[in-house]
Amino acid sequence: MILIDSVLKRHGALRAVDDVSLQINGGLTAIIGPNGAGKSTLLAAIGRLIGTDAGVITVDGMDVAAARSRDIARRLAILRQDNHLAIRLSVEDLVAYGRFPHGGSGRTPEDRAQIENAITLLDLEAVRGRYLDELSGGQRQRAFVAMAIAQDTDYLLLDEPLNNLDPRHSVALMKLMQTLVAVRGMTVVVVLHDINVAAQFADDVVAMRDGRVVHHGAVADVLTARNLTDLYETPARVDEHGDRRVVIWE
Ligand SMILES: Nc1ncnc2c1ncn2[C@@H]1O[C@H](COP(=O)(O)OP(=O)(O)O)[C@@H](O)[C@H]1O
Ligand SMILES: [Mg+2]
């Protein structure tokens, strides 16, 4: 369980995350909201990529502010919105970095199995030996997701992982997240821009705006025309197609 209690993160005078309290019990949770809402800041705080100014975040009872980095990394993998690396790495080397918290060598049979599994799951076999700067944006994005998967954690946090992905790889990645939840019992939290993707794949939705959580609940309760119209200040219509709900911006 991820427990966020009264968390504040300031950037100068701006309250990027403004007194957020949130409990994520499991499943696939989508975080949505307009640009600048504080989604990335909140995710980074959960993974302790940034510190906070007030409040407490625990993951399975572990206070992330006080925990050792390695203990966090064994429990939780996080993929940032923008991933840049100054060094020249192959896809395979990058994915192997995911094994770092588990000992570092990347060469034990367990390490090898996790690396191979992640490369296969993200459809990277054909480019596994290539350097990251020789990849398309979508291939590079998938390589970073594979690194996070290879980390083999109970918690996976992904910030806009569908950036640059074509429809085939977007759908495959969302289905992979569902499988990780259903088969491995993982808890996945993913920032999504496409509300229809959230509607189709998420169990729960957290809607943020101006640093605050304005809605949190099941897809059917949060993704209503009224909520979305208010959240994005853009008229939204929500249609039912069988068991799917489809958002149309007007
Ligand atoms: N390092 C930073 N310095 C100053 N302001 C920042 C920094 N990071 C984010 N912000 C600001 O905090 C707010 C929330 O940003 P962010 O969490 O990235 O939003 P989102 O991911 O929802 O688009 C924005 O107004 C953004 O400009
Ligand atoms: Mg963001």
Side-chain angles (χ1 to χ4, degrees), residues 95 178 241:
V95 178
Q178 286 184 320
H241 279 269

Side-chain angles (χ1 to χ4, degrees), residues 11-12 14 16-17 33-42 81 159-160 191 193:
H11 287 299
L14 176 81
V17 172
N35 296 142
K39 306 180 297 295
S40 294
T41 305
L42 181 65
Q81 189 170 346
D159 196 348
E160 298 195 30
V191 177
H193 255 304

Side-chain angles (χ1 to χ4, degrees), residues 10-131:
R10 281 200 187 92
H11 287 299
L14 176 81
R15 297 166 83 95
V17 172
D18 189 2
D19 195 25
V20 165
S21 294
L22 188 66
Q23 180 175 329
I24 296 173
N25 292 322
L28 179 45
T29 300
I31 303 181
I32 64 165
N35 296 142
K39 306 180 297 295
S40 294
T41 305
L42 181 65
L43 213 68
I46 297 170
R48 209 186 54 192
L49 299 179
I50 58 166
T52 55
D53 296 303
V56 178
I57 300 174
T58 62
V59 175
D60 283 344
M62 172 183 69
D63 181 344
V64 297
R68 294 190 312 166
S69 295
R70 179 170 282 198
D71 291 336
I72 296 176
R74 281 183 178 158
R75 199 105 27 115
L76 180 150
I78 179 164
L79 181 72
R80 317 179 65 140
Q81 189 170 346
D82 301 300
N83 293 288
H84 301 289
L85 278 184
I87 45 172
R88 207 153 190 251
L89 275 187
S90 71
V91 169
E92 207 168 340
D93 291 340
L94 178 74
V95 178
Y97 264 101
R99 302 304 301 160
F100 214 71
H102 298 278
S105 80
R107 281 161 205 258
T108 68
E110 170 70 11
D111 289 339
R112 293 310 315 167
Q114 292 288 351
I115 293 163
E116 288 309 313
N117 186 45
I119 285 173
T120 306
L121 287 174
L122 274 301
D123 192 27
L124 290 164
E125 290 97 336
V127 295
R128 62 187 298 151
R130 274 211 231 154
Y131 287 107

Side-chain angles (χ1 to χ4, degrees), residues 79 83 94-95 118 122 124 139-151 156 158 161-162 165 173 176-177 180:
L79 181 72
N83 293 288
L94 178 74
V95 178
L122 274 301
L124 290 164
Q139 289 168 334
R140 196 173 312 123
Q141 179 71 8
R142 273 153 43 216
F144 277 97
V145 175
M147 174 176 65
I149 301 276
Q151 210 173 314
L156 180 61
L158 303 167
L162 306 185
L165 296 195
L173 181 52
L176 172 59
M177 287 181 217
L180 294 173

